[in-house]
Amino acid sequence: MPDEDLMMNWLKIATVAALLGWPGIALAREAVSCGGAAMLGGAQLNCSHVEPQAPPQFCTFSWALHTSAGDQKIVEGTFMLPPGASNVTVYQGSGFDSALSDPIVICRGNK
């Protein structure tokens, strides 16, 4: 049994080392943090630039919302967020009673 445990430990170490060295994997902090809510007839999405060393971020968002009339509506948009921006309202709308999904926000920085 001790030989099997030793072999499993080496296999785990080799797997982790291979994954960390894989060129497609990037371990980076997100530069933008966003949160949204839909209730009481309105919807709002706010974002902050949370990584001071990151360049301005160009972002897109998509959000599935439920309307007061019982329909579904997808809202989409783009915005630019400079370093230091905090709690910026990037979307605000009315006629929604709930969210059908979390907002999807994708950002890319330009140097």
Side-chain angles (χ1 to χ4, degrees):
M1 283 282 200
D3 289 336
E4 288 181 25
D5 290 339
L6 183 61
M7 183 59 131
M8 285 302 287
N9 286 339
W10 278 110
L11 183 58
K12 290 176 186 176
I13 291 169
T15 302
V16 169
L19 288 175
L20 289 176
W22 193 262
I25 295 176
L27 301 175
R29 284 189 54 186
E30 295 290 327
V32 174
S33 177
C34 297
M39 65 181 91
L40 301 173
Q44 188 173 44
L45 175 62
N46 292 344
C47 296
S48 296
H49 194 293
V50 295
E51 183 58 45
Q53 304 304 319
Q57 300 290 303
F58 178 75
C59 305
T60 61
F61 72 89
S62 178
W63 196 9
L65 299 167
H66 188 263
T67 68
S68 302
D71 297 324
Q72 175 180 333
K73 182 175 181 183
I74 306 293
V75 296
E76 300 175 314
T78 61
F79 60 95
M80 179 71 81
L81 208 55
S86 179
N87 204 26
V88 176
T89 300
V90 297
Y91 175 78
Q92 188 167 339
S94 60
F96 303 107
D97 58 15
S98 63
L100 296 173
S101 73
D102 291 330
I104 299 168
V105 181
I106 300 172
C107 299
R108 181 177 73 159
N110 292 325
K111 287 190 175 184

